[in-house]
Amino acid sequence: MSSEVSIAVRNVTKRYLLYDRPIDRLKQLLSFNRKTYYREFTALEHCSFEVRRGHTTGIIGQNGSGKSTLLQLVCGTLTPTAGTLAVNGRISALLELGSGFNPEFTGRENVMMQGAIMGLSRAQMIDRLPAIEAFADIGRFLDQPMKSYSSGMFVRLAFATAVHIEPDILVVDEALSVGDIAFQHKCMTRMREFMRHGTVLFVSHDLAAITALCDEVIWLEHGRIREIGEPKTVTEHYWAKMYEEINKDRKKGGGGDPHRSRGGWRRALQPIACSGSVVRHAGCRGGGAFHLRRTAQAQGGGVRRAGRLCRDYGACESHHRTADHRPGPQGS
């Protein structure tokens, strides 16, 4: 593998064997494969990509698409069923909440243990401990068992530990979503600093963060790579797919036309074009994209209030007034 490549994934597949009952595992062992007592579930299939050194790659997709499985394969906590995966450098990972921490140990003891696992000496970890303590900002709870921590305190200490052990590659799953807004901003600032010299593999449902932070985005769908490319392009395609799913589910529910409902507020998800002069970006008229906008109309009246999700909402103000935007034609 080239020294310029931090992560190389070649035709990786991951399958699980699912048993209906625990005893079926024993039956399978004793049958010597003459009979099958399991069902196969393919979490990832034929995935190939590279992450170059110093680049930040985002991974998006619906729940169950294989994002977390892929990260665990990269970190070495899972082994692929087929294919090869190579990593060049020390990895620090923030996977599912509490991963790698013993709830019976104090926060300080867990930090020291994580350092030892990553190959750092006790003296090196003692030097880093003040910076970790200041970043996590959990006060006296650092010397309390982690089973007494809230989810927010857990992720604060986990992220602080992950970024201060000086890894070559930082792997971050969706765990940051449990933190408060101030801490999320703090984490994003620290990640930007790390990105100047390190490699990041970042999974999130926050498409604004994905678009703002990443050099490349991988879209996973049903265990396969649907698209790899420039962040803005891939996230726009992903938003369009999600919009189709929303409309499909609404039609299956027999909701009909939401604008024809009686009484109270009438709600709808619809594509609109911006016709006001306040917003001018790819999501507005002339850019060819669309907004996803949730409108609420008073019966017999005009639009009274609205909030929207935009496929380019990382570059869009969320507080524009409804008066500056009017519904445009479908697909505008």
Side-chain angles (χ1 to χ4, degrees), residues 139-210:
R140 290 178 292 178
F141 277 92
L142 187 66
D143 293 305
Q144 297 297 317
M146 291 192 73
K147 64 183 179 182
S148 64
Y149 285 18
S150 66
S151 58
M153 293 166 66
F154 228 117
V155 76
R156 278 173 173 267
L157 188 59
F159 186 86
T161 304
V163 297
H164 283 90
I165 60 174
E166 299 180 1
D168 301 307
I169 304 167
L170 180 63
V171 176
V172 182
D173 205 342
E174 300 159 282
L176 292 182
S177 61
V178 303
D180 56 60
I181 294 174
F183 184 71
Q184 288 183 27
H185 181 268
K186 192 176 181 179
C187 291
M188 291 305 173
T189 301
R190 185 67 180 83
M191 283 179 62
R192 286 181 185 276
E193 294 174 1
F194 178 83
M195 288 172 192
R196 295 172 187 168
H197 58 84
T199 304
V200 179
L201 196 57
F202 181 45
V203 167
S204 179
H205 288 294
D206 184 352
L207 298 190
I210 289 286

Side-chain angles (χ1 to χ4, degrees), residues 5-73:
V5 177
S6 292
I7 301 170
V9 178
R10 298 280 183 267
N11 204 32
V12 165
T13 295
K14 179 61 180 179
R15 295 190 182 93
Y16 293 95
L17 305 183
L18 305 181
Y19 295 89
D20 293 328
R21 299 173 301 169
I23 196 172
D24 289 342
R25 294 178 181 272
L26 180 60
K27 289 180 178 179
Q28 183 65 43
L29 180 65
L30 298 177
S31 70
F32 297 101
N33 293 324
R34 290 192 296 268
K35 188 175 180 180
T36 299
Y37 292 91
Y38 60 82
R39 292 170 287 109
E40 281 193 351
F41 171 73
T42 303
L44 286 173
E45 190 169 18
H46 305 308
C47 294
S48 298
F49 64 90
E50 287 185 349
V51 178
R52 299 187 67 79
R53 185 177 301 280
H55 282 218
T56 298
T57 299
I59 302 177
I60 60 175
Q62 293 176 273
N63 292 333
S65 60
K67 303 186 300 298
S68 295
T69 299
L70 179 57
L71 292 194
Q72 290 182 64
L73 288 168

